[in-house]
DNA sequence: CTCTAAACGAGACGGTACGTCCAGTCTTCGG
DNA sequence: CCGAAGACTGGACGTACCGTCTCGTTTAGAG
């Protein structure tokens, strides 16, 4: 029998006794899967990320993935969140403009990593289900929005801007433009883009004269 | 791998005479494929659109698709462009606010159809190749941007706004916020969103008092 | 080529619950595939046998076939061997002529079934690879050759013929002529052909006077 | 339009004016197709010979092939016959043994070329149609059979053998064993095989003592 | 410290779609 | 107007994953 596949008669093959002993469970396994997911995101992008490859890379069975997440979308969103768990209150530079630049730069940096790759892909997978759409929105927008809200509130308290100019739509505008740029132009996001968004859009909307 | 495929006509197979006679070619076939693509987009969305089903639906062979477009992305972009070929100069309502509302409403309507479904899916498929990213950007942004540019120029000519307030970033901001809302919230796009974008962001950026 | 296939479970696709539960594995699946292969051989012949149709007929996935056999050739050879597993020692009629007629008739009967159909097709697929050629030779010639060898040995022991006349080439000649006739003339193989081969070729070669 | 296939809009492209000008017809085209067929047989074997590749290699359209031959089989048989048109009467060495060796060596040489490659593949394609089977048999067996017949007749005339031992079956046996060996063992055919067939089978069948 | 139930790795399973190649037919256009 | 060129429909190729499942094996925790 020269050129055959393993073949049907090989059913009685020994069950491969050399399995890795310290079998991971729970948290340890979660971590391994997250790491494999992020690595795949990095190397191949969301479009080419498959449950099969993630499982293999994590040296886990596919069932262990499906036991935890119902689909690729949830896995990727979880993995991205897990990688950047820290909402970390925005730094305080003392001026509205400085704070906004810092905040947007933080978001840009986030988008340049796995979280960005995840965001891009998740968008198209998620829209059929409104609940998951909302979940994705919450995860991707919450951080930036809360940061800007806090920054603007501090500026109002400092008397730098008028509180009546602050509306949800305007708070959201800056991060939205940044995300929009990322989605349509990819990475890296030039710093001029951020400066322009702050100086030409955000500051004017809050009633500030554009920066230097 | 010694053997070629047996093939349908290795003799002993009947010659299958019932092929449709007036075989379509060129433009006629293009049209049929575009229509099938748009129908699939409509019924199943981009994520579930397959070359296989489009071919079947258009009663065409897969090779006829691949001869024209190298992948799903290009087919879908072409089909969407084909369906809405006319940038059609924006209507003139006489006021900046009216023009902007009309323009954004036009974009919103476009996004609510197959073009929107296409945009969403294309974004995640296209980013690996910068050239195709640019192409997608051109197709999806060009229209809105040019419309706003023209509207704003008319407003400047009417003396309604100051030309120095007009920058590319600000021109782009309105459509960008609308697309952003569409991507993260889907359809339908409530009209209040459009009104808010115009009144709270666009008009102020161009130095106008918000509308009524 | 940025996009992986959409896949059936990219969400928004129903989970297709109607799968047959007690899914066949191992031997049971082997049997089903063999049966489907033999049925296809019978109905459409080797030239029109495709992995696709065999899989469909066996209600199996194509991957289950390819996991077992690297190509059509191996599948068909295995299926044919499986259908006629028993070389079964040749019957003893008491005379050399009777034994030879019985043996050749047995081979002819075998060639008239799926094994013959398999042999014909396999020949053209297998010759590019010497190892597979040898395998095919072993499977198709071994049986007949061993039978004739045994029959001739018995005749020598009975003193019916002289052992010095027995050479491998002569032992092989009878079955070879029969197979040659089958390959160039197809089925059914007239019994006169068998009688002629025995009386005009085999018996004289072993130093016997031709039969009645 | 960066990364697109020729695309549907290119329909109006000039109809490829650089077509080969002196368009071949009739004999000239036949020759080109025959040559392409033989080349393909040589390089890829019958199993991998396709009408498509032959057409491309001959720089011809597929329809030009189908207009001349209804299928691969006929094309290949014609091409092989065309390449070796000369039945050439068998050489006369003066002895039966010498003539037989020469004849079988001639057949072996023929089988080692494109004609052999053709024979192998044709067998499996032809059997569904008895008429074509007969045609293939005529083409592949006629030559050898007529040669042996002539040789044996000369030997009878020389008084070397007894005419009553000559039967069609026995005349056919030698070439049949040679073709059988070729089909199951491929090329090259060792010369010992030919010597064995002559000395252990053919000569004894015609009532001659084996050669030296 | 056993004993059991759950979690785990591995991967087979029935499928869908991929992108390619080829069969044989039909249309267009050049000579 | 014939015939060469090649676009067309259709179908099989062999591969990659899907999400489910069945195996044993390993491990944690209850008795």
């Amino acid at each position: 029998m020269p050129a055959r596949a393993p073949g049907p008669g090989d059913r009685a093959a020994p069950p491969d006794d050399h399995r890795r002993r310290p079998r991971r469970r729970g948290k340890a396994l979660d971590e391994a899967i997250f790491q494999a997911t992020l690595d795949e995101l990095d190397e191949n992008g969301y479009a080419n990320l498959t449950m099969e490859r993630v499982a293999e890379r994590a040296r886990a069975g596919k069932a262990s993935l499906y036991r935890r997440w119902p689909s690729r979308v949830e896995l990727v969103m979880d993995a991205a969140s897990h990688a950047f768990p820290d909402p970390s209150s925005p730094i305080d530079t003392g001026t509205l403009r400085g704070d906004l630049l810092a905040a947007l730069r933080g978001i840009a940096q986030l988008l340049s990593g796995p979280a960005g790759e995840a965001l891009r892909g998740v968008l198209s997978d998620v829209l059929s289900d409104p609940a998951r759409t909302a979940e994705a929105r919450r995860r991707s927008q919450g951080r930036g929005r809360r940061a800007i809200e806090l920054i603007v509130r501090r500026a109002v308290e400092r008397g730098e801007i008028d509180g009546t100019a602050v509306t949800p739509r305007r708070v959201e505008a800056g991060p939205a433009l940044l995300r929009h740029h990322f989605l349509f132009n990819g990475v890296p996001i030039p710093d001029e883009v951020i400066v322009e968004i702050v100086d030409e859009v955000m500051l004017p909307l809050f009633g500030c004269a554009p920066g230097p």
Side-chain angles (χ1 to χ4, degrees), chain A residues 126-148:
Chain A
V126 105
L127 251 287
S128 50
D129 178 351
R132 296 205 294 178
T133 306
E135 170 68 9
R137 200 162 51 237
R138 188 184 65 71
R139 296 212 197 213
S140 53
Q141 301 189 0
R143 194 169 320 202
R145 176 189 198 103
R146 280 191 303 274
I148 306 291

Side-chain angles (χ1 to χ4, degrees), chain A residues 168-183:
Chain A
R169 176 74 47 195
R170 285 174 175 163
V171 166
E172 186 47 24
L177 291 179
L178 185 55
R179 276 190 297 267
H180 181 273
H181 184 275
F182 163 72
L183 289 174

Side-chain angles (χ1 to χ4, degrees), chain A residues 21-202:
Chain A
R21 227 31 132 18
R23 201 179 264 183
R24 302 153 304 176
R25 300 167 71 104
K27 288 274 173 64
L29 186 49
D30 291 358
E31 289 294 333
I33 296 174
F34 280 149
Q35 196 50 55
T37 304
L38 295 172
D39 290 350
E40 282 291 320
L41 267 183
D42 232 36
E43 292 181 18
N44 306 111
Y46 181 86
N48 296 104
L49 180 147
T50 68
M51 298 297 259
E52 195 117 4
R53 270 210 288 265
V54 170
E56 191 189 10
R57 183 162 207 154
R59 306 191 54 80
K62 284 199 288 177
S64 298
L65 269 70
Y66 284 105
R67 201 176 295 124
R68 289 166 165 79
W69 302 275
S71 81
R72 192 167 64 132
V73 183
E74 277 81 8
L75 165 60
V76 167
M77 289 201 300
D78 253 28
S81 298
H82 176 263
F84 308 96
D86 187 17
S88 81
S89 74
I91 52 175
D92 191 340
T93 64
T95 69
L96 175 58
R97 181 169 187 271
D99 286 0
L100 291 177
L101 284 173
L104 257 52
R105 282 174 181 141
I107 297 176
Q109 195 179 354
L110 200 60
L111 290 176
S112 302
E117 193 42 52
L119 171 60
R120 188 186 306 290
V122 155
L123 275 185
S124 66
D125 273 2
V126 105
L127 251 287
S128 50
D129 178 351
R132 296 205 294 178
T133 306
E135 170 68 9
R137 200 162 51 237
R138 188 184 65 71
R139 296 212 197 213
S140 53
Q141 301 189 0
R143 194 169 320 202
R145 176 189 198 103
R146 280 191 303 274
I148 306 291
E149 267 172 355
L150 180 54
I151 287 169
V152 167
R153 192 153 48 234
R154 286 198 306 229
V156 171
E157 284 165 6
R158 281 197 304 268
E160 201 171 350
I161 60 176
D162 179 8
T164 63
V166 179
T167 71
R169 176 74 47 195
R170 285 174 175 163
V171 166
E172 186 47 24
L177 291 179
L178 185 55
R179 276 190 297 267
H180 181 273
H181 184 275
F182 163 72
L183 289 174
F184 284 80
N185 298 76
V187 289
I189 302 173
D191 200 59
E192 303 90 70
V193 171
I194 293 174
V195 174
E196 269 187 41
I197 291 175
V198 168
D199 286 343
E200 295 190 20
V201 178
M202 298 187 80

